[in-house]
Amino acid sequence: DTNDTRESAAIYVCRDLLRERAKLHIYDPRVSHAQILLDLQNAMLDANGQLSALDKRLIEQNVTIASDSYQAAEDAHAIALLTEWDEFKTLDFKRIYDTMPQPAFVFDGRNVLDRQALGKLGFEVHAIGKC
């Protein structure tokens, strides 16, 4: 229950996905739009503390900050749950599934979602650290 993003693994996952040219729709209920972008920029700095033109362009063109989970998931191929906010446990995943192209993937990086229930809806679920 904090908006402290220091050393958050989510930042580095997003950085790596951006460098693979993924398009990200990010939602965090407690972290501001400006802080999310600042954290991404800081994670992409080179050894000299500079943000390359390419990395700046990747952030500008491939990052959208969503106003809620449903907006973030719409038309997404995959959802990566990287924070533990309680609201993520109570989302209407049927509603989310219906807005995604199939196959639809969920990567649960916090192991807080009901894998079996998501599987029954049609999601391909990968819980990090679980078989």
Side-chain angles (χ1 to χ4, degrees):
D1 292 326
T2 178
N3 64 353
D4 184 355
T5 58
R6 289 176 291 179
E7 302 304 317
S8 170
I11 297 165
Y12 302 103
V13 169
C14 290
R15 177 199 62 198
D16 294 348
L17 288 169
L18 281 172
R19 289 190 169 151
E20 293 292 326
R21 307 306 187 261
K23 298 221 181 260
L24 305 181
H25 290 235
I26 299 171
Y27 170 67
D28 189 303
R30 301 284 194 289
V31 180
S32 71
H33 178 137
Q35 186 64 51
I36 291 169
L37 294 176
L38 180 63
D39 288 340
L40 283 173
Q41 290 170 359
N42 287 336
M44 296 180 98
L45 296 177
D46 65 19
N48 296 319
Q50 300 296 312
L51 182 66
S52 73
L54 173 61
D55 285 340
K56 182 178 181 185
R57 192 168 48 255
L58 285 172
I59 293 170
E60 290 171 352
Q61 294 177 357
N62 291 14
V63 174
T64 300
I65 309 300
S67 60
D68 64 42
S69 297
Y70 299 103
Q71 182 186 50
E74 190 172 336
D75 293 323
H77 293 277
I79 297 168
L81 180 64
L82 302 171
T83 60
E84 295 183 51
W85 300 115
D86 286 339
E87 77 177 73
F88 297 135
K89 298 174 192 173
T90 61
L91 293 172
D92 180 349
F93 280 98
K94 171 76 168 104
R95 174 180 168 192
I96 289 171
Y97 182 82
D98 288 344
T99 69
M100 296 175 68
Q102 311 312 307
F105 298 87
V106 172
F107 296 90
D108 183 359
R110 296 300 188 166
N111 292 305
V112 297
L113 301 176
D114 183 337
R115 291 170 51 199
Q116 289 183 341
L118 292 173
K120 286 179 183 175
L121 290 174
F123 284 104
E124 184 173 319
V125 183
H126 300 273
I128 298 171
K130 293 203 174 188
C131 298

